Coordinates of all heavy atoms in Angstrom, one line a residue:
M1 N 2.1 -144.4 17.0 CA 2.6 -143.0 17.0 C 2.9 -142.6 18.4 O 2.2 -143.0 19.3 CB 1.4 -142.1 16.5 CG 1.9 -140.6 16.4 SD 0.7 -139.6 15.7 CE -0.5 -139.4 17.0
F2 N 4.1 -142.0 18.6 CA 4.5 -141.6 19.9 C 4.2 -140.1 20.1 O 4.2 -139.3 19.2 CB 6.0 -141.7 20.0 CG 6.5 -143.1 20.2 CD1 7.0 -143.8 19.2 CD2 6.3 -143.8 21.5 CE1 7.4 -145.2 19.4 CE2 6.8 -145.0 21.6 CZ 7.3 -145.8 20.6
I3 N 3.8 -139.8 21.4 CA 3.7 -138.4 21.8 C 4.9 -138.1 22.7 O 5.1 -138.8 23.6 CB 2.4 -138.2 22.6 CG1 1.2 -138.7 21.9 CG2 2.2 -136.7 22.9 CD1 -0.1 -138.6 22.7
Y4 N 5.6 -137.1 22.4 CA 6.7 -136.7 23.2 C 6.4 -135.5 24.1 O 5.7 -134.6 23.6 CB 7.9 -136.3 22.3 CG 8.5 -137.5 21.6 CD1 8.0 -137.9 20.4 CD2 9.6 -138.1 22.1 CE1 8.5 -139.0 19.7 CE2 10.1 -139.2 21.4 CZ 9.6 -139.6 20.2 OH 10.2 -140.7 19.6
F5 N 6.8 -135.6 25.3 CA 6.6 -134.5 26.2 C 7.9 -134.0 26.7 O 8.6 -134.7 27.4 CB 5.7 -134.9 27.4 CG 4.4 -135.4 27.0 CD1 4.1 -136.7 26.8 CD2 3.3 -134.5 26.8 CE1 2.8 -137.2 26.5 CE2 2.1 -134.9 26.5 CZ 1.8 -136.3 26.3
L6 N 8.2 -132.8 26.4 CA 9.4 -132.1 26.9 C 9.1 -131.6 28.3 O 8.1 -130.9 28.5 CB 9.8 -131.0 26.0 CG 11.1 -130.2 26.5 CD1 12.3 -131.1 26.5 CD2 11.3 -129.0 25.5
S7 N 9.9 -132.0 29.2 CA 9.6 -131.7 30.6 C 10.3 -130.4 31.1 O 9.8 -129.4 31.2 CB 9.8 -132.9 31.5 OG 10.8 -132.7 32.4
F8 N 11.6 -130.6 31.4 CA 12.3 -129.4 31.9 C 13.7 -129.5 31.6 O 14.3 -130.6 31.3 CB 12.1 -129.3 33.5 CG 12.7 -130.3 34.3 CD1 13.9 -130.1 34.9 CD2 12.1 -131.5 34.5 CE1 14.5 -131.1 35.7 CE2 12.6 -132.5 35.2 CZ 13.8 -132.3 35.8
C9 N 14.3 -128.4 31.6 CA 15.8 -128.3 31.3 C 16.5 -127.8 32.5 O 16.1 -126.8 33.1 CB 16.0 -127.4 30.1 SG 15.0 -127.8 28.7
E10 N 17.5 -128.4 32.9 CA 18.3 -128.0 34.0 C 19.8 -128.2 33.6 O 20.3 -129.2 33.7 CB 18.0 -128.8 35.2 CG 18.4 -128.2 36.5 CD 17.8 -129.1 37.6 OE1 16.6 -128.9 38.0 OE2 18.6 -129.9 38.2
G11 N 20.4 -127.1 33.0 CA 21.7 -127.3 32.4 C 21.5 -128.2 31.2 O 20.8 -127.9 30.3
I12 N 22.3 -129.3 31.2 CA 22.2 -130.2 30.0 C 21.2 -131.3 30.3 O 21.0 -132.2 29.4 CB 23.6 -130.8 29.7 CG1 24.1 -131.6 31.0 CG2 24.6 -129.8 29.4 CD1 25.3 -132.5 30.7
Y13 N 20.6 -131.3 31.4 CA 19.7 -132.4 31.8 C 18.3 -132.1 31.2 O 17.6 -131.1 31.6 CB 19.6 -132.5 33.3 CG 18.7 -133.5 33.8 CD1 18.9 -134.9 33.7 CD2 17.6 -133.1 34.6 CE1 18.0 -135.8 34.2 CE2 16.7 -134.0 35.1 CZ 16.9 -135.3 34.9 OH 16.0 -136.3 35.5
I14 N 17.7 -133.0 30.4 CA 16.4 -132.9 29.9 C 15.6 -134.2 30.2 O 16.0 -135.2 29.7 CB 16.3 -132.6 28.4 CG1 17.1 -131.3 28.1 CG2 14.9 -132.4 27.9 CD1 17.2 -131.0 26.6
L15 N 14.5 -134.1 30.9 CA 13.7 -135.2 31.2 C 12.5 -135.2 30.2 O 11.9 -134.2 30.0 CB 13.1 -135.1 32.6 CG 12.1 -136.2 33.0 CD1 12.7 -137.6 33.0 CD2 11.5 -135.9 34.3
K16 N 12.3 -136.4 29.6 CA 11.1 -136.6 28.7 C 10.4 -137.8 29.1 O 11.0 -138.8 29.5 CB 11.5 -136.6 27.2 CG 12.1 -135.4 26.6 CD 12.4 -135.6 25.2 CE 13.0 -134.4 24.6 NZ 13.4 -134.6 23.2
I17 N 9.1 -137.8 29.0 CA 8.3 -139.0 29.1 C 7.5 -139.1 27.8 O 6.9 -138.1 27.4 CB 7.4 -139.0 30.3 CG1 8.2 -139.1 31.6 CG2 6.4 -140.2 30.2 CD1 7.3 -139.0 32.8
K18 N 7.6 -140.2 27.1 CA 6.8 -140.4 25.9 C 5.8 -141.6 26.1 O 6.1 -142.6 26.7 CB 7.7 -140.6 24.7 CG 8.5 -141.8 24.6 CD 9.3 -141.9 23.3 CE 10.1 -143.2 23.3 NZ 10.9 -143.3 22.0
I19 N 4.6 -141.3 25.6 CA 3.6 -142.3 25.6 C 3.3 -142.8 24.2 O 3.1 -142.1 23.3 CB 2.2 -141.7 26.1 CG1 2.5 -140.8 27.4 CG2 1.2 -142.7 26.4 CD1 2.9 -141.6 28.6
D20 N 3.3 -144.1 24.1 CA 2.9 -144.7 22.8 C 1.4 -144.8 22.7 O 0.8 -145.7 23.4 CB 3.5 -146.2 22.7 CG 3.4 -146.8 21.3 OD1 2.4 -146.4 20.6 OD2 4.2 -147.6 20.9
E21 N 0.8 -143.9 21.9 CA -0.6 -143.8 21.8 C -1.3 -145.1 21.2 O -2.4 -145.4 21.5 CB -1.0 -142.6 20.9 CG -1.1 -141.3 21.6 CD -1.8 -140.3 20.8 OE1 -1.5 -140.2 19.6 OE2 -2.5 -139.5 21.3
D22 N -0.5 -145.8 20.4 CA -1.1 -147.0 19.8 C -1.2 -148.1 20.8 O -2.0 -149.0 20.7 CB -0.2 -147.4 18.6 CG -0.2 -146.5 17.5 OD1 -1.2 -145.8 17.3 OD2 0.8 -146.4 16.7
K23 N -0.3 -148.1 21.9 CA -0.4 -149.1 22.9 C -1.3 -148.7 24.1 O -1.9 -149.6 24.7 CB 1.0 -149.4 23.4 CG 2.0 -150.1 22.5 CD 3.3 -150.3 23.2 CE 4.3 -151.1 22.4 NZ 5.6 -151.3 23.1
C24 N -1.3 -147.4 24.4 CA -2.0 -147.0 25.6 C -3.5 -147.3 25.5 O -4.2 -147.0 24.5 CB -1.8 -145.4 25.8 SG -2.7 -144.8 27.2
T25 N -4.1 -147.9 26.6 CA -5.5 -148.2 26.7 C -6.3 -147.2 27.5 O -7.5 -147.4 27.7 CB -5.7 -149.6 27.2 OG1 -5.2 -149.6 28.6 CG2 -4.9 -150.7 26.4
G26 N -5.6 -146.3 28.1 CA -6.3 -145.3 29.0 C -6.7 -145.9 30.3 O -7.6 -145.4 31.0
C27 N -6.0 -147.0 30.8 CA -6.4 -147.7 32.0 C -6.2 -146.9 33.3 O -6.9 -147.1 34.2 CB -5.6 -149.0 32.1 SG -3.8 -148.7 32.5
G28 N -5.3 -145.9 33.2 CA -5.1 -145.1 34.4 C -4.2 -145.5 35.5 O -4.0 -144.9 36.5
N29 N -3.5 -146.7 35.2 CA -2.6 -147.2 36.2 C -1.4 -146.2 36.5 O -1.0 -146.0 37.7 CB -1.9 -148.5 35.7 CG -2.8 -149.7 35.9 OD1 -4.0 -149.5 36.3 ND2 -2.3 -150.8 35.5
C30 N -1.0 -145.5 35.5 CA 0.1 -144.6 35.6 C -0.3 -143.4 36.5 O 0.4 -143.0 37.4 CB 0.6 -144.0 34.3 SG -0.8 -143.5 33.2
E31 N -1.5 -142.9 36.3 CA -2.0 -141.8 37.1 C -2.2 -142.2 38.6 O -1.9 -141.5 39.5 CB -3.4 -141.3 36.5 CG -4.0 -140.1 37.3 CD -5.3 -139.7 36.6 OE1 -6.0 -140.6 36.2 OE2 -5.5 -138.5 36.6
E32 N -2.7 -143.4 38.7 CA -3.0 -144.0 40.1 C -1.7 -144.1 40.9 O -1.7 -143.8 42.1 CB -3.7 -145.3 39.9 CG -4.3 -145.8 41.2 CD -5.1 -147.1 41.0 OE1 -5.9 -147.1 40.0 OE2 -4.9 -148.0 41.8
I33 N -0.7 -144.6 40.3 CA 0.6 -144.9 41.1 C 1.5 -143.7 41.3 O 2.3 -143.7 42.2 CB 1.3 -146.1 40.4 CG1 2.4 -146.7 41.3 CG2 2.0 -145.6 39.1 CD1 1.8 -147.5 42.4
C34 N 1.3 -142.7 40.4 CA 2.3 -141.6 40.5 C 2.1 -140.7 41.7 O 1.0 -140.3 42.0 CB 2.1 -140.7 39.2 SG 3.1 -139.2 39.3
P35 N 3.2 -140.5 42.5 CA 3.1 -139.7 43.7 C 2.6 -138.2 43.4 O 2.2 -137.6 44.3 CB 4.5 -139.7 44.3 CG 5.2 -140.7 43.5 CD 4.5 -141.0 42.2
K36 N 2.8 -137.8 42.2 CA 2.4 -136.4 41.8 C 1.3 -136.4 40.7 O 1.3 -135.6 39.9 CB 3.6 -135.6 41.3 CG 4.7 -135.4 42.4 CD 4.2 -134.5 43.5 CE 5.3 -134.3 44.5 NZ 4.9 -133.4 45.5
S37 N 0.5 -137.4 40.8 CA -0.4 -137.7 39.7 C -1.3 -136.5 39.3 O -1.5 -136.2 38.1 CB -1.3 -138.9 40.0 OG -2.1 -138.6 41.1
G38 N -1.8 -135.7 40.3 CA -2.6 -134.6 40.0 C -2.0 -133.5 39.3 O -2.6 -132.8 38.5
K39 N -0.7 -133.4 39.4 CA 0.1 -132.4 38.7 C 0.6 -132.9 37.3 O 0.8 -132.1 36.4 CB 1.3 -131.9 39.5 CG 0.9 -131.2 40.8 CD 2.2 -130.7 41.5 CE 1.8 -129.6 42.5 NZ 1.0 -130.1 43.6
I40 N 0.8 -134.2 37.2 CA 1.4 -134.7 36.0 C 0.5 -135.3 35.0 O 0.6 -135.1 33.8 CB 2.6 -135.6 36.4 CG1 3.7 -134.8 37.1 CG2 3.2 -136.3 35.1 CD1 4.8 -135.7 37.7
W41 N -0.3 -136.2 35.4 CA -1.1 -137.1 34.5 C -2.5 -136.6 34.3 O -3.2 -136.2 35.2 CB -1.1 -138.5 35.1 CG 0.2 -139.2 35.1 CD1 1.1 -139.2 36.1 CD2 0.8 -139.9 34.0 NE1 2.3 -139.9 35.7 CE2 2.1 -140.3 34.4 CE3 0.4 -140.2 32.7 CZ2 3.0 -141.0 33.6 CZ3 1.3 -140.9 31.9 CH2 2.5 -141.3 32.3
K42 N -2.9 -136.8 33.0 CA -4.3 -136.6 32.6 C -4.6 -137.7 31.7 O -4.0 -137.9 30.7 CB -4.4 -135.2 32.0 CG -5.9 -134.9 31.7 CD -6.1 -133.5 31.2 CE -7.5 -133.2 31.0 NZ -7.8 -131.8 30.5
I43 N -5.7 -138.4 32.0 CA -6.1 -139.6 31.2 C -7.4 -139.2 30.4 O -8.4 -138.9 31.1 CB -6.4 -140.8 32.0 CG1 -5.2 -141.1 33.0 CG2 -6.7 -142.0 31.1 CD1 -3.9 -141.5 32.3
N44 N -7.3 -139.2 29.1 CA -8.6 -139.1 28.3 C -8.8 -140.5 27.7 O -8.9 -141.4 28.4 CB -8.4 -138.0 27.3 CG -8.3 -136.6 27.9 OD1 -9.1 -136.3 28.9 ND2 -7.4 -135.8 27.5
T45 N -8.7 -140.6 26.4 CA -8.7 -141.9 25.8 C -7.3 -142.5 25.9 O -7.2 -143.7 25.9 CB -9.1 -141.9 24.3 OG1 -8.4 -140.9 23.6 CG2 -10.6 -141.4 24.2
V46 N -6.3 -141.6 26.0 CA -4.9 -142.1 26.2 C -4.3 -141.2 27.3 O -4.9 -140.1 27.6 CB -4.1 -142.0 25.0 CG1 -4.6 -143.0 23.9 CG2 -4.0 -140.7 24.4
A47 N -3.2 -141.6 27.8 CA -2.5 -140.8 28.9 C -1.7 -139.6 28.3 O -1.1 -139.7 27.2 CB -1.6 -141.7 29.6
H48 N -1.7 -138.5 29.0 CA -1.0 -137.4 28.7 C -0.2 -136.9 30.0 O -0.8 -137.0 31.1 CB -1.9 -136.2 28.2 CG -2.6 -136.6 27.0 ND1 -2.1 -136.3 25.7 CD2 -3.8 -137.1 26.8 CE1 -2.9 -136.7 24.8 NE2 -4.0 -137.2 25.4
V49 N 1.0 -136.4 29.8 CA 1.7 -135.8 30.9 C 2.1 -134.4 30.7 O 2.2 -133.9 29.5 CB 3.0 -136.6 31.2 CG1 2.7 -138.0 31.7 CG2 3.9 -136.6 30.1
S50 N 2.2 -133.6 31.7 CA 2.7 -132.2 31.7 C 3.3 -131.9 33.0 O 3.3 -132.7 34.0 CB 1.5 -131.3 31.4 OG 0.6 -131.4 32.4
H51 N 3.9 -130.7 33.1 CA 4.5 -130.3 34.3 C 5.5 -131.3 34.9 O 5.4 -131.6 36.1 CB 3.5 -129.8 35.3 CG 2.6 -128.7 34.8 ND1 3.0 -127.5 34.6 CD2 1.3 -128.8 34.5 CE1 2.0 -126.7 34.1 NE2 1.0 -127.5 34.0
L52 N 6.4 -131.8 34.1 CA 7.3 -132.8 34.6 C 8.4 -132.3 35.5 O 9.2 -133.0 36.0 CB 7.9 -133.6 33.4 CG 7.0 -134.5 32.7 CD1 7.7 -135.3 31.6 CD2 6.2 -135.4 33.5
E53 N 8.3 -131.0 35.8 CA 9.2 -130.5 36.9 C 8.8 -131.1 38.2 O 9.7 -131.1 39.2 CB 9.2 -128.9 36.9 CG 7.8 -128.3 37.3 CD 6.9 -128.1 36.2 OE1 7.0 -128.7 35.1 OE2 6.0 -127.2 36.3
Y54 N 7.6 -131.7 38.3 CA 7.3 -132.3 39.6 C 7.6 -133.8 39.6 O 7.5 -134.5 40.6 CB 5.7 -132.2 39.8 CG 5.3 -130.8 40.0 CD1 4.6 -130.1 39.0 CD2 5.5 -130.2 41.2 CE1 4.2 -128.8 39.1 CE2 5.0 -128.9 41.4 CZ 4.4 -128.2 40.4 OH 4.0 -126.9 40.5
C55 N 8.1 -134.3 38.5 CA 8.4 -135.7 38.4 C 9.7 -136.1 39.2 O 10.7 -135.4 39.1 CB 8.7 -136.1 36.9 SG 9.2 -137.8 36.7
H56 N 9.6 -137.2 40.0 CA 10.7 -137.7 40.8 C 11.6 -138.6 40.0 O 12.5 -139.2 40.6 CB 10.2 -138.4 42.0 CG 9.3 -137.6 42.9 ND1 8.4 -138.2 43.8 CD2 9.2 -136.3 43.1 CE1 7.8 -137.3 44.5 NE2 8.3 -136.1 44.1
V57 N 11.1 -139.0 38.8 CA 11.8 -140.0 38.0 C 11.9 -141.3 38.8 O 12.9 -142.1 38.7 CB 13.2 -139.6 37.5 CG1 13.6 -140.4 36.3 CG2 13.2 -138.1 37.1
C58 N 10.8 -141.7 39.5 CA 10.8 -142.9 40.3 C 10.5 -144.1 39.4 O 10.7 -145.2 39.8 CB 9.7 -142.8 41.3 SG 8.0 -142.7 40.7
T59 N 10.0 -143.9 38.2 CA 9.7 -144.9 37.1 C 8.5 -145.8 37.5 O 8.3 -146.8 36.8 CB 10.9 -145.7 36.7 OG1 11.2 -146.7 37.7 CG2 12.1 -144.9 36.4
L60 N 7.8 -145.5 38.6 CA 6.6 -146.3 38.9 C 5.6 -146.4 37.8 O 5.0 -147.4 37.6 CB 6.0 -145.8 40.2 CG 6.8 -146.0 41.5 CD1 6.1 -145.2 42.7 CD2 6.9 -147.5 41.8
C61 N 5.4 -145.3 37.2 CA 4.3 -145.2 36.1 C 4.7 -146.2 35.0 O 3.8 -147.0 34.6 CB 4.2 -143.8 35.6 SG 5.8 -143.1 35.0
A62 N 5.9 -146.2 34.6 CA 6.3 -147.1 33.5 C 6.3 -148.6 34.0 O 5.8 -149.5 33.2 CB 7.8 -146.8 33.1
M63 N 6.6 -148.9 35.3 CA 6.5 -150.2 35.8 C 5.1 -150.7 35.9 O 4.9 -151.9 35.8 CB 7.3 -150.3 37.1 CG 8.8 -150.2 37.0 SD 9.6 -150.6 38.6 CE 9.4 -149.1 39.5
K64 N 4.2 -149.8 36.1 CA 2.8 -150.2 36.3 C 2.0 -150.3 35.0 O 0.8 -150.7 35.0 CB 2.1 -149.2 37.2 CG 2.3 -149.6 38.7 CD 1.5 -150.8 39.1 CE 1.4 -151.1 40.5 NZ 0.6 -152.2 40.9
C65 N 2.6 -149.8 33.9 CA 1.9 -149.8 32.6 C 1.8 -151.2 32.1 O 2.8 -151.9 31.8 CB 2.6 -148.9 31.6 SG 1.7 -148.9 30.0
P66 N 0.6 -151.7 31.9 CA 0.5 -153.1 31.5 C 0.8 -153.4 30.0 O 1.0 -154.6 29.6 CB -1.0 -153.4 31.7 CG -1.7 -152.1 31.6 CD -0.7 -151.1 32.1
V67 N 1.0 -152.3 29.2 CA 1.3 -152.5 27.8 C 2.6 -151.9 27.4 O 2.9 -151.8 26.2 CB 0.1 -152.0 26.9 CG1 -1.2 -152.8 27.1 CG2 -0.1 -150.5 27.2
D68 N 3.4 -151.5 28.4 CA 4.7 -151.0 28.1 C 4.7 -149.8 27.2 O 5.4 -149.7 26.2 CB 5.6 -152.1 27.6 CG 7.1 -151.7 27.6 OD1 7.5 -150.9 28.5 OD2 7.9 -152.2 26.8
A69 N 3.7 -148.9 27.5 CA 3.5 -147.7 26.6 C 4.3 -146.5 27.0 O 4.3 -145.5 26.4 CB 2.0 -147.3 26.5
I70 N 5.0 -146.5 28.2 CA 5.6 -145.4 28.8 C 7.1 -145.5 28.7 O 7.7 -146.5 29.2 CB 5.2 -145.2 30.3 CG1 3.7 -145.0 30.4 CG2 6.0 -144.0 30.9 CD1 3.2 -145.0 31.8
K71 N 7.8 -144.6 28.1 CA 9.3 -144.5 28.1 C 9.7 -143.3 28.8 O 9.3 -142.2 28.5 CB 9.7 -144.5 26.6 CG 9.4 -145.8 25.9 CD 10.4 -146.9 26.1 CE 10.0 -148.1 25.2 NZ 9.0 -149.0 25.8
I72 N 10.6 -143.4 29.7 CA 11.2 -142.3 30.5 C 12.6 -142.1 30.0 O 13.4 -143.1 30.1 CB 11.1 -142.6 32.0 CG1 9.6 -142.7 32.4 CG2 11.7 -141.4 32.8 CD1 9.4 -143.1 33.8
M73 N 12.9 -140.9 29.6 CA 14.3 -140.6 29.2 C 14.8 -139.5 30.1 O 14.4 -138.4 30.1 CB 14.2 -140.1 27.7 CG 13.8 -141.2 26.8 SD 13.5 -140.6 25.1 CE 12.0 -139.7 25.3
R74 N 15.8 -139.9 30.9 CA 16.4 -139.0 31.9 C 17.3 -137.9 31.2 O 17.4 -136.9 31.7 CB 17.1 -139.7 32.9 CG 16.3 -140.6 33.8 CD 17.2 -141.3 34.8 NE 16.4 -142.1 35.8 CZ 15.9 -143.3 35.6 NH1 16.1 -143.9 34.4 NH2 15.2 -143.9 36.5
N75 N 17.9 -138.3 30.2 CA 19.0 -137.5 29.6 C 18.7 -137.4 28.1 O 19.6 -137.7 27.3 CB 20.4 -138.1 29.9 CG 21.3 -137.0 30.2 OD1 21.1 -135.8 29.9 ND2 22.5 -137.4 30.7
A76 N 17.5 -137.0 27.8 CA 17.1 -136.9 26.4 C 17.8 -135.8 25.6 O 18.1 -134.8 26.2 CB 15.6 -136.8 26.3
P77 N 18.0 -136.0 24.3 CA 18.6 -134.9 23.6 C 17.6 -133.8 23.3 O 16.4 -134.0 23.3 CB 18.9 -135.6 22.2 CG 18.0 -136.8 22.2 CD 17.8 -137.2 23.6
R78 N 18.1 -132.6 23.2 CA 17.2 -131.5 22.9 C 16.8 -131.6 21.4 O 17.5 -132.2 20.6 CB 18.0 -130.2 23.0 CG 18.4 -129.9 24.4 CD 19.3 -128.6 24.5 NE 19.9 -128.5 25.8 CZ 19.3 -127.9 26.8 NH1 18.1 -127.4 26.7 NH2 19.9 -127.8 28.0
E79 N 15.6 -131.1 21.1 CA 15.1 -131.1 19.8 C 14.8 -129.8 19.2 O 14.6 -128.8 20.0 CB 13.7 -131.9 19.7 CG 14.0 -133.4 20.1 CD 12.7 -134.2 20.2 OE1 11.6 -133.6 20.1 OE2 12.8 -135.4 20.3
Ligands
SF4_1 S1 8.4 -141.3 37.1 FE1 7.3 -141.3 39.1 S2 6.9 -139.1 39.6 FE2 7.5 -139.3 37.4 S3 5.6 -139.4 36.3 FE3 6.3 -141.5 36.6 S4 5.3 -142.1 38.6 FE4 5.2 -139.9 38.4
SF4_2 S1 -0.7 -147.3 32.5 FE1 0.0 -147.3 30.3 S2 -1.9 -148.1 29.2 FE2 -2.6 -147.4 31.2 S3 -3.2 -145.2 30.9 FE3 -1.0 -145.2 31.6 S4 0.2 -145.2 29.7 FE4 -1.9 -145.8 29.1

């Protein structure tokens, strides 16, 4: 099951980060590597993101995820 996080809208630009809860182990790598981790990431049993207006779209979190559970969509469709 995927969790979708709508981040921010700036004209037609919508950034989303989705976490695959079935893959996420809660390891915390994403939170550790993110330059804005305190504002964006919260790890319980799985990872959650919020306040993506602080996201640089550096993709470090996705690159550091050992189970490929993070998908970053820079130009996601509105829902
Ligand atoms: S893309 Fe970069 S700034 Fe955005 S959540 Fe991931 S690590 Fe943080
Ligand atoms: S790095 Fe991947 S597996 Fe680890 S907490 Fe973040 S999303 Fe979950």
Side-chain angles (χ1 to χ4, degrees):
M1 183 175 77
F2 284 102
I3 307 175
Y4 289 84
F5 298 96
L6 177 62
S7 117
F8 67 99
C9 305
E10 197 173 282
I12 60 169
Y13 175 69
I14 302 175
L15 173 66
K16 291 182 184 178
I17 293 180
K18 64 178 181 179
I19 312 296
D20 188 333
E21 275 193 319
D22 293 333
K23 289 183 177 178
C24 179
T25 63
C27 71
N29 284 2
C30 47
E31 182 180 38
E32 190 175 316
I33 196 71
C34 178
K36 298 291 183 181
S37 61
K39 291 185 165 64
I40 295 175
W41 291 92
K42 185 172 182 181
I43 311 293
N44 294 316
T45 53
V46 296
H48 297 272
V49 294
S50 61
H51 300 292
L52 291 188
E53 66 270 25
Y54 294 104
C55 176
H56 300 158
V57 200
C58 64
T59 74
L60 288 173
C61 53
M63 288 190 281
K64 276 287 188 177
C65 180
V67 294
D68 195 27
I70 301 172
K71 297 276 184 277
I72 298 173
M73 295 171 286
R74 292 179 175 84
N75 219 346
R78 296 175 191 275
E79 293 176 351

